[in-house]
Amino acid sequence: MTMIPSLLDKNSWNKEDLITLLKAEGPAMEMMLQRSAQTRERYIGNKIYLRGLLEISNICSKNCYYCGIRYENRNIRRYKMTLEEVEKAVRFAYEQGFGSVVFQSGEIEAQPFTEFVTRAIAKTKDISGGRLGITLSCGEQSDSVYRQWKEAGAHRYLLRIEASDPDLFKKLHPTDDIHNLHRRMEALRGLQRMGYQTGTGVMIGLPFQTLEHLANDLLFMREFDIDMVGMGPYVMHRDTPLFEHRHEVPLLKDRISLSLKMIAILRLMMKDVNIASTTALSAIDPMGKIMGMKAGANVIMPNITPAKFIGNYNLYDNKPYVDLYSNASRLTMEKEIENQGFKIGFDEWGDSVHYRQRTGS
Ligand code: 5AD
Ligand code: SF4
């Protein structure tokens, strides 16, 4: 406890400070979460923004060792939604006042997929008269593809770096041209240069991961001057190579508290960025997403993928699913958020304040 209060009063933290903060437990950790909540309130207010998440395709050319939809997993059925299915879900998000949608997919660089996403963006603009915000999370693509999607109307892009440490990255991915940390960083830089609100993130509580790695991840986000972050706990998947290392994964409760501390510290470091409270948090604790919001997150991405595809987008085991097409579950979700004293930013884009400051827009 002794070091934490004085560290919290600082305005900039080096790696050693961050490691100390990541070790905080009990009252010291509570104090940190409170300080983060105050920072959020002061710099960006108490609104939670909703992004309707559509998992438009689980076709993936990559083989990340941790992910359930990796290319070599033959135990799932591959799908790509039709444009009509996308249209229906987008219309639903719009009618519910979700404010934005996120199109997420496996990573594939192919012309028909590029065109499909472009059409989905255009359709979304059309349906909502330009009033729905559009975030993409479709992996590494060429600059020309990123440009095409931006011109079609996407304005935010999430590309998680997964692990910013080169050695850790290598332990989580095959060593080849498409799994390359440098290439991934270049793609992220390209997105930022092109004018996207740019988001990244990492997994927390991975085998082989140390507190130093996590501290460096935070420094990476700050140095990159990122606008949005989505980070959450690593959750095992039995049909992946990393499952072999399940005994080296921190306990569930430790992965939760480490994730909350990462959110809180990032909020202290980057006061006006958008931070998502991720689904992976709910996968290991039913209250996970709420805890993430209380720790400083201001965005959630309720899943509106049609039910028939859901079982085939399991990035990890026990991925939770709430059927938001049911009025009762939607109201429950909204009540849970409002009961914590938050307001939901219905019909708002909820753009990253940091982006506006950074670009003067
Ligand atoms: N546990 C937690 N997050 C995962 N992701 C993929 N597999 C897992 C897992 N087993 C995350 C990655 C990816 C995002 C779409 O899902 O960070 O970028
Ligand atoms: Fe594909 Fe992304 Fe999963 Fe890697 S993490 S296998 S790129 S969907």
Side-chain angles (χ1 to χ4, degrees), residues 64-69 104-105 107 137 158-162 184 201-204 206 230 232-237 240 242 280 313-317:
C64 309
Y65 293 151
Y66 43 84
C67 177
I69 67 169
Q104 188 173 79
S105 69
E107 294 198 18
S137 176
L158 280 170
L159 182 70
R160 286 191 180 183
I161 206 75
E162 315 294 2
R184 204 161 180 83
V202 295
M203 284 172 288
I204 299 160
L206 288 157
Y234 163 65
V235 187
M236 289 166 254
H237 189 297
T240 61
L242 209 61
Y313 208 93
N314 287 341
L315 304 168
Y316 39 79
D317 291 330

Side-chain angles (χ1 to χ4, degrees), residues 159-182:
L159 182 70
R160 286 191 180 183
I161 206 75
E162 315 294 2
S164 65
D165 179 84
D167 293 327
L168 181 58
F169 190 91
K170 273 201 192 119
K171 290 189 174 126
L172 304 171
H173 302 95
T175 305
D176 59 24
D177 286 351
I178 57 170
H179 302 84
N180 181 301
L181 181 60
H182 178 71

